[in-house]
């Protein structure tokens, strides 16, 4: 069927070499590595980890990091194999087009758009929470209608999205430099918490390692 026609790897590579479709290789290995770290270390690591450990999982929250690390490693191996086989831009859309057909690729393409929109919304709300907390510590209290998870219109989240959109439009090199600054700050905060927390480790808090389930 026409909707399940596949696009050969040779055709995909040939299309990317056309002047109107060609992408410049402006990112270095360091830029790509920093982008990956930026995705891994999200806004929730500073809030959700402690909340889940306190209310639900206890010390066993560490097991979730082990499981997530294994899953991420397997996903990375899959994408590495796909990327080496189909060395063109397009991510899962291109891989699906070369293997499953045009219609599945079309569905996956829109799934990726939905995934990115939802992910951006969640991250924006997380950064909005940090910004609101920072403003409160400075004596500036935003109304509940424009800030917080229950806001009618989350103004700080919208401003964060607009600011990042402007950076993306300005160019990929500026985006990579800005991402490097943000990732450096996040890693510094994580290391600071780890180093400072070493002086407050109490072995008693690790028992029971997996808290009993509650209704």
């Amino acid at each position: 069927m026409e909707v399940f026609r596949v696009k050969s790897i040779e055709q995909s590579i040939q299309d990317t070499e056309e002047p109107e479709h060609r992408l410049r290789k402006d990112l270095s290995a360091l830029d790509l590595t920093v982008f990956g770290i930026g995705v891994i270390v999200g806004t929730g690591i500073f809030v959700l980890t402690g909340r889940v450990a306190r209310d639900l999982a206890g010390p066993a929250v560490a097991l979730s990091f082990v499981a997530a690390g294994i899953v991420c490693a397997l996903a990375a191996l899959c994408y590495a194999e796909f990327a080496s086989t189909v060395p063109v831009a397009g991510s899962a859309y291109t891989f699906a087009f070369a293997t499953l057909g045009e219609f599945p690729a079309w569905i996956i393409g829109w799934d990726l758009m939905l995934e990115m929109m939802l992910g951006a919304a969640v991250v924006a709300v997380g950064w909005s929470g940090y910004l609101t907390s920072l403003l409160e510590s400075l004596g500036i209290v935003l109304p509940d209608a424009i800030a917080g998870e229950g806001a009618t219109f989350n103004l700080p989240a919208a401003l964060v999205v607009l600011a990042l959109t402007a950076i993306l439009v300005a160019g990929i090199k500026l985006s990579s430099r800005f991402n490097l600054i943000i990732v450096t700050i996040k890693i510094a905060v994580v290391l600071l918490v780890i180093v400072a927390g070493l002086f407050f480790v109490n072995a008693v808090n690790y028992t029971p390692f997996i808290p009993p389930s509650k209704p």
Side-chain angles (χ1 to χ4, degrees):
M1 296 176 62
E2 194 70 13
V3 294
F4 289 99
R5 60 181 180 178
V6 298
K7 189 175 185 179
S8 66
I9 298 175
E10 293 77 14
Q11 183 62 45
S12 298
I13 297 175
Q14 182 179 348
D15 290 343
T16 60
E17 294 176 349
E18 296 180 1
E20 64 271 19
H21 296 146
R22 182 179 300 172
L23 298 177
R24 297 193 308 271
K25 296 181 179 180
D26 290 336
L27 298 179
S28 63
L30 175 62
D31 294 328
L32 295 175
T33 302
V34 172
F35 270 120
I37 297 174
V39 173
I40 294 171
V41 185
T43 58
I45 194 172
F46 302 114
V47 177
L48 294 180
T49 304
R51 187 181 301 171
V52 170
R54 181 193 64 190
D55 299 335
L56 301 172
V61 70
L63 298 178
S64 66
F65 282 91
V66 175
I70 295 174
V71 173
C72 288
L74 294 176
L77 290 174
C78 291
Y79 269 89
E81 183 175 358
F82 275 128
S84 62
T85 305
V86 189
V88 297
S91 184
Y93 169 80
T94 300
F95 304 149
F97 206 160
T99 56
L100 301 177
E102 186 174 16
F103 182 66
W106 180 82
I107 294 176
I108 291 176
W110 280 108
D111 283 343
L112 289 173
M113 293 293 293
L114 179 61
E115 170 190 340
M116 292 176 184
M117 287 190 295
L118 292 177
V122 172
V123 172
V125 170
W127 281 108
S128 172
Y130 292 141
L131 179 59
T132 302
S133 177
L134 175 62
L135 293 176
E136 288 179 354
S137 64
L138 298 176
I140 304 174
V141 180
L142 298 177
D144 293 337
I146 62 171
E149 296 183 1
T152 304
F153 177 77
N154 197 322
L155 181 60
L159 294 178
V160 168
V161 171
L162 290 175
L164 294 180
T165 300
I167 293 173
L168 289 172
V169 172
I172 189 64
K173 293 301 291 184
L174 177 61
S175 301
S176 64
R177 295 296 175 263
F178 179 78
N179 183 67
L180 177 60
I181 295 173
I182 296 298
V183 168
T184 302
I185 295 174
K186 290 195 292 186
I187 296 300
V189 171
V190 171
L191 293 177
L192 176 63
V193 171
I194 292 175
V195 173
L198 289 176
F199 298 97
F200 298 93
V201 174
N202 188 348
V204 176
N205 295 327
Y206 287 86
T207 304
F209 186 73
I210 301 179
S213 60
K214 297 180 181 180

